[in-house]
Amino acid sequence: MNAIDELTDSFSRLPGIGKKSAARLVNYILKADNLWVKRFASQIDHLQEIIKPCSICGSWTENDPCPICSDPLRDRSVICVVEQPQDVNTIDSSREFNGLFHVLGGVIAPLEGIGPSQLRIAGLVERVKSGTIKEVILATNPTVEGDTTAMYIQRVLAPTGVKVTRLASGLPVGGDLEYIDKLTLARSFRGRSSF
Amino acid sequence: MNAIDELTDSFSRLPGIGKKSAARLVNYILKADNLWVKRFASQIDHLQEIIKPCSICGSWTENDPCPICSDPLRDRSVICVVEQPQDVNTIDSSREFNGLFHVLGGVIAPLEGIGPSQLRIAGLVERVKSGTIKEVILATNPTVEGDTTAMYIQRVLAPTGVKVTRLASGLPVGGDLEYIDKLTLARSFRGRSSF
């Protein structure tokens, strides 16, 4: 196996990249500017040394605590609970939420052997108990696992008396009723609001 | 800009990878096995040092001349002319052709300022003149540029008296007449063969 095949192989291990796309990427790198390639390689090489999970919320950060946890201008009375570190960016860039975050690091998935103890749930309870938190918004994905995890957290947080909410589920804006699946439609009926 | 944004930016410079896929790749690398990430980075880092164009055919190789040019079992009387180094692999892995290759490194594209002199055409004429070549198969893509380049090479090779052929163009196997474009259909008529 030569260097081209080896790199093609590595690229095709990345999510969403098949054998053909991988070959295309390797060809791009073969012809790309050498300085850029060197910088790209070094960025990959050092990423895991530079970026660590924030010890408070669990999202990826260069400095611990992360910029969001250490921002004095954020609303420190609300925590938004998400599955993955990347969800923090998605929500933060929507500018719809100005509170704090808590990353679970996954969802309860018994078939994959992931129980509540593997997720950062204990840390969440700790934060709610120790602090000034008034509301916990559960923003796990609207999937079976995401719903299960949200329900589990809601039960675990019940004794603390904190307000626990769940992101609304329903028709996506710009979507077409004709192409909406039954479950989403059912939820949009159950969660309907008065005009 | 932090290390995550920098790497996301680099990934999205690669062909076929948008901002969202790039973010997904960075997240994969953040969580991937550290040893694998280090090896992946080093493969990218060293690729251009290890892989060079073959001095005879122009395809990518670790050793010069490349394995195909130095293989004594290949038919040294036929040269298949392709646009890009990756085309050599595509054709070679089809096992339909056992001759030699010649990589042009592109096609004649006046709008992009690429003329015949920027392609490896002189080297091809050299090979045909100096050797035992009996046939040159033009396997440039069936596009306007590919056809133009093929016609140009055919004219340039005419004085040498070598047999010059072009890959057949027509209906792709498994394709559906209903979805074939007019040009392809026209070519499949012009190139029809008797049963």
Side-chain angles (χ1 to χ4, degrees):
Chain A
M1 195 145 103
N2 74 11
I4 292 183
D5 297 335
E6 273 170 18
L7 184 55
T8 308
D9 219 61
S10 295
F11 264 121
S12 58
R13 265 197 54 175
L14 299 178
I17 296 187
K19 218 60 193 147
K20 288 214 168 175
S21 319
R24 204 165 150 222
L25 298 181
V26 172
N27 274 299
Y28 180 86
I29 287 178
L30 274 165
K31 285 187 276 188
D33 170 63
N34 185 262
L35 272 180
W36 181 81
V37 174
K38 294 274 172 195
R39 223 190 57 204
F40 178 43
S42 133
Q43 285 168 351
I44 294 174
D45 195 32
H46 296 115
L47 188 70
Q48 292 190 348
E49 284 140 41
I50 300 172
I51 304 289
K52 300 281 176 198
C54 169
S55 58
I56 300 174
C57 72
S59 68
W60 299 118
T61 179
E62 280 191 23
N63 306 302
D64 193 17
C66 75
I68 291 178
C69 285
S70 52
D71 183 348
L73 295 173
R74 308 232 15 153
D75 180 354
R76 310 188 83 80
S77 67
V78 203
I79 290 184
C80 178
V81 177
V82 295
E83 294 180 14
Q84 301 293 351
Q86 55 267 41
D87 299 332
V88 172
N89 275 325
T90 309
I91 291 177
D92 200 45
S93 60
S94 79
R95 298 177 174 277
E96 194 57 48
F97 176 73
N98 190 39
L100 304 175
F101 285 95
H102 194 87
V103 177
L104 296 173
V107 275
I108 298 172
L111 288 177
E112 291 164 45
I114 301 173
S117 60
Q118 273 114 307
L119 305 175
R120 301 180 66 259
I121 295 179
L124 175 66
V125 177
E126 205 80 355
R127 284 178 80 184
V128 171
K129 275 184 181 163
S130 70
T132 52
I133 310 297
K134 286 183 190 142
E135 180 178 356
V136 173
I137 303 174
L138 299 175
T140 51
N141 288 325
T143 58
V144 175
E145 291 87 358
D147 287 344
T148 311
T149 309
M151 267 162 57
Y152 177 86
I153 294 176
Q154 186 262 320
R155 267 214 318 271
V156 167
L157 288 179
T160 68
V162 75
K163 182 179 172 189
V164 181
T165 56
R166 179 98 173 92
L167 282 195
S169 189
L171 309 178
V173 178
D176 190 324
L177 265 185
E178 195 178 344
Y179 299 111
I180 298 296
D181 61 291
K182 282 184 198 165
L183 279 174
T184 304
L185 199 59
R187 285 212 190 178
S188 71
F189 269 97
R190 263 178 261 152
R192 70 190 181 277
S193 55
S194 50
F195 232 130
Chain B
M1 197 144 106
N2 73 11
I4 292 183
D5 297 334
E6 273 169 18
L7 183 55
T8 308
D9 219 61
S10 295
F11 264 121
S12 58
R13 264 196 57 173
L14 299 178
I17 296 187
K19 214 71 191 141
K20 287 215 169 175
S21 318
R24 204 165 149 221
L25 298 180
V26 172
N27 274 299
Y28 180 86
I29 286 178
L30 274 165
K31 285 187 276 188
D33 170 63
N34 185 261
L35 273 179
W36 180 80
V37 173
K38 294 273 171 197
R39 223 189 59 205
F40 178 43
S42 132
Q43 285 167 351
I44 293 174
D45 195 31
H46 296 116
L47 188 71
Q48 292 189 348
E49 285 140 40
I50 301 172
I51 304 290
K52 300 281 177 200
C54 168
S55 59
I56 300 174
C57 72
S59 69
W60 299 118
T61 179
E62 279 192 22
N63 306 302
D64 192 18
C66 74
I68 291 178
C69 285
S70 51
D71 184 347
L73 295 174
R74 307 225 28 147
D75 180 353
R76 310 188 83 78
S77 68
V78 203
I79 290 185
C80 179
V81 176
V82 295
E83 294 181 14
Q84 301 292 350
Q86 54 267 41
D87 299 332
V88 172
N89 275 324
T90 310
I91 291 177
D92 200 46
S93 60
S94 78
R95 298 179 172 279
E96 194 58 48
F97 176 74
N98 191 39
L100 304 175
F101 286 96
H102 194 87
V103 177
L104 296 173
V107 275
I108 298 172
L111 288 177
E112 291 165 45
I114 301 174
S117 60
Q118 274 114 307
L119 305 176
R120 300 180 65 260
I121 294 178
L124 175 65
V125 178
E126 205 79 355
R127 284 178 79 182
V128 170
K129 275 183 181 163
S130 70
T132 53
I133 309 297
K134 287 183 190 142
E135 181 179 356
V136 173
I137 303 174
L138 300 175
T140 51
N141 289 324
T143 56
V144 174
E145 291 87 357
D147 288 344
T148 311
T149 310
M151 268 162 57
Y152 178 86
I153 294 176
Q154 186 262 320
R155 267 213 320 269
V156 167
L157 289 178
T160 68
V162 74
K163 181 180 173 189
V164 181
T165 57
R166 178 98 173 92
L167 282 194
S169 189
L171 309 178
V173 177
D176 190 324
L177 265 185
E178 195 177 342
Y179 300 111
I180 298 296
D181 62 291
K182 281 183 197 166
L183 279 173
T184 305
L185 199 58
R187 285 213 189 177
S188 72
F189 268 98
R190 265 177 261 153
R192 69 189 181 278
S193 53
S194 51
F195 231 131

